[in-house]
Amino acid sequence: QVQLVESGGALVQPGGSLRLSCAASGIAFYTYDMGWYRQAPGKQRELVASISHQHITNYSESAKGRFTISRDNDRNIMYLQMNSLKPEDTAVYQCNGKSFLGTISWEYWGQGTQVTVSL
């Protein structure tokens, strides 16, 4: 059974930091391209940051310079370190994993963790 389980979401004040974790099980984690997405109320889900199975990272413009994505293939965990948080970072953050083999692909989502940035 494949599971992606996020944790680390919380209520934090503007300027604060959080570290989100995504623990994966049931997949060959090291072969998966992983990403963090977020969805704020009334908005479309957007990609925040991604890290490929080769550890190549990519960030949205809003995340650049503030967020850092990383992965630990020994522990099957992906992280998102978020610093200098702003109210507009408030959203449900979900982790995503994708893998490809020729024309076959696999994709999984976690349930999400709530991040609220407010005074």
Side-chain angles (χ1 to χ4, degrees):
Q1 182 183 1
V2 176
Q3 281 192 308
L4 298 179
V5 180
E6 303 94 336
S7 61
L11 170 64
V12 64
Q13 292 187 350
S17 297
L18 282 176
R19 188 176 80 157
L20 305 184
S21 299
C22 172
S25 59
I27 59 172
F29 181 75
Y30 69 98
T31 69
Y32 274 68
D33 297 332
M34 301 296 297
W36 286 100
Y37 288 74
R38 70 185 183 187
Q39 187 167 21
K43 294 189 177 181
Q44 287 190 328
R45 183 163 57 193
E46 62 175 351
L47 176 65
V48 177
S50 64
I51 183 166
S52 74
H53 65 283
Q54 297 169 315
H55 294 250
I56 298 169
T57 59
N58 182 55
Y59 295 91
S60 67
E61 285 300 316
S62 63
K64 282 180 184 176
R66 298 189 300 128
F67 295 180
T68 303
I69 190 170
S70 61
R71 64 191 296 164
D72 182 340
N73 286 348
D74 290 332
R75 300 180 65 197
N76 291 356
I77 299 178
M78 174 180 64
Y79 301 100
L80 184 68
Q81 177 66 43
M82 304 189 294
N83 299 327
S84 303
L85 282 162
K86 305 175 182 180
E88 50 264 43
D89 294 318
T90 295
V92 174
Y93 285 70
Q94 286 181 282
C95 69
N96 171 271
K98 300 186 185 72
S99 185
F100 307 89
L101 182 63
T103 60
I104 302 171
S105 63
W106 297 263
E107 183 173 21
Y108 302 101
W109 291 90
Q111 289 297 309
T113 186
Q114 176 70 46
V115 172
T116 303
V117 185
S118 179
L119 291 171

